[in-house]
């Protein structure tokens, strides 16, 4: 299951949205069976793990093993189809997924604030390279004080590195909004910043254009995917051997960005290019296969953050299918892998060599609707709330969890649902507001002027905008027939989407399916990055999105958001998002998310237990150990192998 790191929804505490490609979940027909991180260099998060017991959790995390720690090469299994494609920490919208950003890039370039603490989605102070921000000037000025962290070449991380990152973001967005996956016009960096200053080497001051919600800004703009320090002393140039340029001159900043962007796209040179050898994360890149996506990371000996006493290199091994990866578990070929959802009933076959645990990630699964697709008037059809409500009734959430996830998952009824726990989850997303019922879906359509043809194709026979008519822009004769593109990795996507098409057909909705790779789906079925394809797809299913700890849908569902792949636009929601970003009402996000649940801008699907890489449960080799929280991190998309060590 592949997820997208979607901009602002991604880490409670600050991870923004990212595509997550995981077992995408859509409807199933008739499935009746259906811690603070340790402050010493030898510890880990050590947090209270909310997922140790309770709904949505599978198995248990192993306790840290006492004894002699020693190094070895940690082997981490990854699912093929979504290899890293970009290394510069200003990620284009088309490439903003958890596999590129969290698994890969953040091993090299740490966000300003780290927002995962075991399976708790919250700011983790000891993993963050800056102290808690200080606010003033009616919440229009934020002052950031950096800790004493260093780049791998020994140079200190300074306020100039934050200023450099800001100016390069500004240059990237000036050239194209698609150059920055977290960009939301008028709401996000760089638009919401009036000016920045660097009073001294450790202090960075941001003056905002207006009063801003501190929680929003800290957890969405200053954390994962937001303002990430970049080494000005090594990168502020427009050619490999060129001089250092004044990056606060926007024209120079653009030249620098164009150079760095070009170098970032040259995948085959990543391990040899001096640019990418200057890092501040726990690892450096030592090997990368641009064909398979396999890579090897060596410990950054100058890493300033907390870590285990002995830090091992880690190597990713890409498997082209769930079946191949599960076979690798049976032979003990990897140290961290997953038991795919389909194989959960057979998990005991690997339990002698692995501890097994699973918990949903903070995010949502769903299929995207394309509101800009004019083919067959689909954009006008899907703009009708009653149509989206009818489609929601075709998603058998509990049936999917039982039949396809084998109990390793929980219901997903909105952007934030019951699991993982969040204070921002609205009450209308705790239980299914649109329970599975094809007959209800059919009745809704019939009541709005559609002629229902079970196992055929429904047709609009009562055009118009009255309550019992089809709706604006839908002429007589319009058919409920459209296409849907899904990610072929893993196989679970095809199973669930095929089932959806079958259920839909039973009430006269014809959905034609086409499989494609995760990267192709997220790049091509995307109104933001590929507007030329607006009329080529109606629905896409690549997995879903991660949430920020402060899970506003700014950037995702607001008009013009960088991750608004389907072009959804709703003035009421835009206003609610604006209140979440700039207002002071602590309930603003709940109101926003409650409205999203009501409006169903996407087709929400169950949240599977998540191993950080795919739908299923985490398999942790009994040859390795570490603080439980630093394995639990991976359920929230954060890979932290700097805390793992061999004990056998």
């Amino acid at each position: 299951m592949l997820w997208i790191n979607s901009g602002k929804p991604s880490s409670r505490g600050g991870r923004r949205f990212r595509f997550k490609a995981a077992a995408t979940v859509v409807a199933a027909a008739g499935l009746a069976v259906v811690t603070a991180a340790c402050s010493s260099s030898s510890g880990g998060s050590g947090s209270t793990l909310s997922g140790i017991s309770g709904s949505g959790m599978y198995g248990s995390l192993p306790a840290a093993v006492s004894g002699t720690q020693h190094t070895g090469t940690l082997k981490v299994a990854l699912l093929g189809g979504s290899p890293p494609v970009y290394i510069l920490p200003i990620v284009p919208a088309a490439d903003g997924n958890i596999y590129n950003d969290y698994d890969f890039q953040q091993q090299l370039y740490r966000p300003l604030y780290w927002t995962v603490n075991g399976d708790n989605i919250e700011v983790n102070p000891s993993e963050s390279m800056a102290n808690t921000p200080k606010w003033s000037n009616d919440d229009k000025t934020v002052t950031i004080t950096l800790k004493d962290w260093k780049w791998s070449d020994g140079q200190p991380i300074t306020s100039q590195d934050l200023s450099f990152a800001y100016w390069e973001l500004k240059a990237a967005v000036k050239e194209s909004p698609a150059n920055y996956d977290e960009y939301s016009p008028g709401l996000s960096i760089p638009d919401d910043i009036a000016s920045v200053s660097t009073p001294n080497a450790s202090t960075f001051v941001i003056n905002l254009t207006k009063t801003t919600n501190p929680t929003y800004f800290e957890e969405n703009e200053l954390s994962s995917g937001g303002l990430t320090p970049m080494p000005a002393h090594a990168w502020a140039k427009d050619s490999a051997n060129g001089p250092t340029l004044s990056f606060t001159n926007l024209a120079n900043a653009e030249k620098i960005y164009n150079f760095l962007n070009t170098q970032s796209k040259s995948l085959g040179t990543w391990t040899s290019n001096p640019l990418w050898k200057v890092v501040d994360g726990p690892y450096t890149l030592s090997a990368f296969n641009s064909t398979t996506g396999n890579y090897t990371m060596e410990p950054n000996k100058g890493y300033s953050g907390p870590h285990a006493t002995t830090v091992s290199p880690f190597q990713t091994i890409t498997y082209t299918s769930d079946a191949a990866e599960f076979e690798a578990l049976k032979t003990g070929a990897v140290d961290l892998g997953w038991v795919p959802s389909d194989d959960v009933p057979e998990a005991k076959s690997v339990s002698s060599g692995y501890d097994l645990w699973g918990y949903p990630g903070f995010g949502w699964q769903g299929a995207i609707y394309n509101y800009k697709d004019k083919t067959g008037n689909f954009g006008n059809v899907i703009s009708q709330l009653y149509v989206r409500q009818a489609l929601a009734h075709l998603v058998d959430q509990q049936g999917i969890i039982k039949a396809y996830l084998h109990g390793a998952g929980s219901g997903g009824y909105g952007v934030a649902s019951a699991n993982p726990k969040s204070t921002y989850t609205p009450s209308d997303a705790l239980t299914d507001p649109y329970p599975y019922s094809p007959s209800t879906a059919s009745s809704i359509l019939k009541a709005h002027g559609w002629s229902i043809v079970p196992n055929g194709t429904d047709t609009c026979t009562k055009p118009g905008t009255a309550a019992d008519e089809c709706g604006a822009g839908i002429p007589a004769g319009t058919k409920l027939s459209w296409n849907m593109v899904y990610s072929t990795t893993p196989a679970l996507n095809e199973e669930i989407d095929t089932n959806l098409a079958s259920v839909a057909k039973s009430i006269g909705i014809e959905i034609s399916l086409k499989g494609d790779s995760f990267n192709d789906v997220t790049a091509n079925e995307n109104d933001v990055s590929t507007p030329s394809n607006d009329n080529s797809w109606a629905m896409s299913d690549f997995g879903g999105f991660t949430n920020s700890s402060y899970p506003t849908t700014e950037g995702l569902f607001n008009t013009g958001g960088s991750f608004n792949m389907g072009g959804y636009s709703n003035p009421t929601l835009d206003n609610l998002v604006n209140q979440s970003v700039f207002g002071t009402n602590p309930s603003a996000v709940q109101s926003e998310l409650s409205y999203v649940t009501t409006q169903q801008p996407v087709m929400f699907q169950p949240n599977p237990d998540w191993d950080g890489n795919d739908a299923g449960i985490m398999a942790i080799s009994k040859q390795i150990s570490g603080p439980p929280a630093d394995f639990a991190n991976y359920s929230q998309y954060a890979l932290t192998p700097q805390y793992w060590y061999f004990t056998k």
Side-chain angles (χ1 to χ4, degrees):
M1 182 161 186
L2 297 171
W3 284 45
I4 287 182
N5 182 7
S6 80
K8 297 216 175 92
S10 112
S11 134
R12 184 166 137 178
R15 288 170 306 156
R16 312 233 267 167
F17 303 113
R18 290 288 179 277
F19 298 119
K20 60 174 194 172
T24 294
V25 189
V26 242
L31 296 176
V33 297
V34 186
T35 84
C38 172
S39 59
S40 71
S41 63
S42 61
S45 310
S47 65
T48 300
L49 301 174
S50 61
I52 286 293
S53 63
S55 63
M57 181 273 296
Y58 182 101
S60 60
L61 285 162
V65 176
S66 60
T68 304
Q69 301 180 20
H70 63 88
T71 61
T73 299
L74 295 159
K75 296 180 180 178
V76 178
L78 292 183
L79 185 63
S82 55
V85 294
Y86 204 79
I87 196 170
L88 177 69
I90 299 176
V91 182
D95 301 324
N97 61 68
I98 61 174
Y99 310 100
N100 192 95
D101 294 7
Y102 297 150
D103 288 355
F104 176 71
Q105 194 181 89
Q106 288 187 9
Q107 306 303 321
L108 308 172
Y109 305 106
R110 254 351 191 212
L112 193 59
Y113 294 100
W114 189 257
T115 58
V116 183
N117 192 4
D119 60 358
N120 296 315
I121 308 158
E122 61 190 14
V123 172
N124 191 328
S126 68
E127 292 287 343
S128 302
M129 68 173 69
N131 297 309
T132 302
K134 303 298 183 183
W135 288 82
S136 60
N137 189 27
D138 193 27
D139 290 338
K140 288 187 289 188
T141 299
V142 57
T143 300
I144 298 165
T145 304
L146 291 165
K147 297 178 183 177
D148 187 22
W149 283 39
K150 290 181 170 57
W151 295 104
S152 55
D153 61 2
Q155 292 294 311
I157 297 175
T158 73
S159 55
Q160 288 296 316
D161 297 320
L162 281 172
S163 179
F164 177 55
Y166 162 72
W167 281 98
E168 291 310 306
L169 281 172
K170 196 174 181 70
V173 169
K174 182 183 177 184
E175 290 195 3
S176 171
N179 284 338
Y180 178 35
D181 62 357
E182 303 301 338
Y183 180 64
S184 185
L187 295 178
S188 69
I189 293 176
D191 291 7
D192 56 357
I193 295 179
S195 65
V196 300
S197 61
T198 54
N200 57 53
S202 62
T203 305
F204 184 63
V205 179
I206 299 174
N207 293 303
L208 298 165
T209 58
K210 63 177 73 174
T211 296
T212 298
N213 184 320
T215 303
Y216 160 79
F217 195 78
E218 292 172 20
E219 299 183 7
N220 288 274
E221 301 287 351
L222 300 180
S223 60
S224 302
L227 192 65
T228 299
M230 301 196 306
H233 70 281
W235 290 5
K237 54 187 179 180
D238 62 1
S239 64
N241 299 311
T244 299
L245 301 178
S246 173
F247 54 79
T248 58
N249 176 308
L250 188 55
N252 285 345
E254 288 187 73
K255 293 177 183 177
I256 295 168
Y257 171 75
N258 290 332
F259 170 63
L260 296 176
N261 180 44
T262 299
Q263 297 299 299
S264 185
K265 292 178 179 178
S266 182
L267 280 62
T269 66
W270 281 356
T271 57
S272 59
N273 193 324
L275 290 170
W276 317 127
K277 294 187 180 299
V278 182
V279 302
D280 60 4
Y283 289 94
T284 62
L285 183 66
S286 59
F288 178 73
N289 186 316
S290 58
T291 301
T292 65
N294 291 350
Y295 52 90
T296 300
M297 299 273 192
E298 297 289 337
N300 170 12
K301 295 179 180 179
Y303 179 55
S304 305
H307 52 78
T309 301
T310 57
V311 181
S312 294
F314 79 92
Q315 178 184 77
T316 65
I317 302 174
T318 300
Y319 294 92
T320 56
S321 68
D322 281 341
E325 189 274 342
F326 191 49
E327 284 301 313
L329 286 184
K330 293 178 180 178
T331 63
V334 296
D335 297 304
L336 183 76
W338 72 93
V339 176
S341 296
D342 284 350
D343 296 306
V344 167
E346 307 302 321
K348 62 179 182 291
S349 66
V350 298
S351 60
S352 62
Y354 294 89
D355 289 297
L356 305 171
W357 182 77
Y359 193 64
F362 192 43
W364 54 272
Q365 292 293 118
I368 307 296
Y369 299 128
N370 183 7
Y371 297 86
K372 293 188 176 182
D373 182 14
K374 297 179 181 178
T375 307
N377 300 298
F378 178 78
N380 293 329
V381 170
I382 206 63
S383 292
Q384 306 302 315
L385 176 58
Y386 76 84
V387 172
R388 302 195 300 275
Q389 291 173 329
L391 290 172
H393 281 294
L394 301 183
V395 182
D396 186 0
Q397 296 252 0
Q398 295 307 313
I400 292 169
I401 292 168
K402 190 171 183 180
Y404 293 152
L405 302 180
H406 302 286
S410 62
Y413 310 124
V415 171
S417 297
N419 295 301
K421 295 177 181 178
S422 170
T423 57
Y424 299 110
T425 300
S427 59
D428 61 2
L430 292 174
T431 57
D432 196 345
Y434 303 102
Y436 178 67
S437 176
S439 62
T440 299
S442 181
S443 296
I444 290 173
L445 295 173
K446 186 175 181 180
H448 286 84
W450 295 87
S451 175
I452 307 302
V453 185
N455 298 310
T457 306
D458 300 342
T459 303
C460 174
T461 54
K462 199 171 183 181
T465 58
D468 61 345
E469 295 174 336
C470 298
I474 304 175
T478 298
K479 297 182 181 298
L480 292 182
S481 176
W482 58 79
N483 66 349
M484 179 178 186
V485 185
Y486 64 89
S487 169
T488 55
T489 305
L492 181 58
N493 291 357
E494 183 173 4
E495 294 171 345
I496 295 175
D497 291 344
T498 298
N499 215 317
L500 170 64
S502 177
V503 176
K505 186 67 175 177
S506 73
I507 65 167
I509 300 174
E510 186 175 359
I511 301 176
S512 58
L513 301 175
K514 176 187 176 183
D516 204 345
S517 71
F518 169 73
N519 281 352
D520 282 348
V521 173
T522 57
N524 296 320
E525 280 65 57
N526 190 330
D527 292 342
V528 178
S529 64
T530 320
S532 60
N533 290 345
D534 282 356
N535 294 314
S536 67
W537 65 280
M539 293 179 69
S540 74
D541 189 358
F542 51 79
F545 281 86
T546 59
N547 285 344
S548 164
S549 58
Y550 182 76
T552 173
T553 60
E554 181 265 303
L556 184 63
F557 294 140
N558 62 301
T559 303
S562 62
F563 273 102
N564 194 340
M565 298 175 66
Y568 181 72
S569 182
N570 182 314
T572 300
L573 182 58
D574 288 346
N575 182 55
L576 289 169
V577 167
N578 205 60
Q579 292 177 37
S580 295
V581 172
F582 298 115
T584 57
N585 183 353
S587 300
V589 169
Q590 276 190 316
S591 298
E592 175 194 335
L593 298 191
S594 178
Y595 187 73
V596 169
T597 303
T598 301
Q599 293 297 305
Q600 297 285 299
V602 296
M603 176 181 280
F604 290 110
Q605 304 157 350
N607 290 321
D609 281 356
W610 179 253
D611 84 312
N613 181 65
D614 190 14
I617 55 177
M618 194 181 304
I620 305 165
S621 172
K622 294 181 178 179
Q623 301 293 317
I624 64 173
S625 189
D630 293 300
F631 290 106
N633 283 343
Y634 207 30
S635 71
Q636 305 308 318
Y637 328 109
L639 183 62
T640 52
Q642 72 270 23
Y643 286 109
W644 309 342
Y645 47 83
F646 287 86
T647 57
K648 297 181 180 179

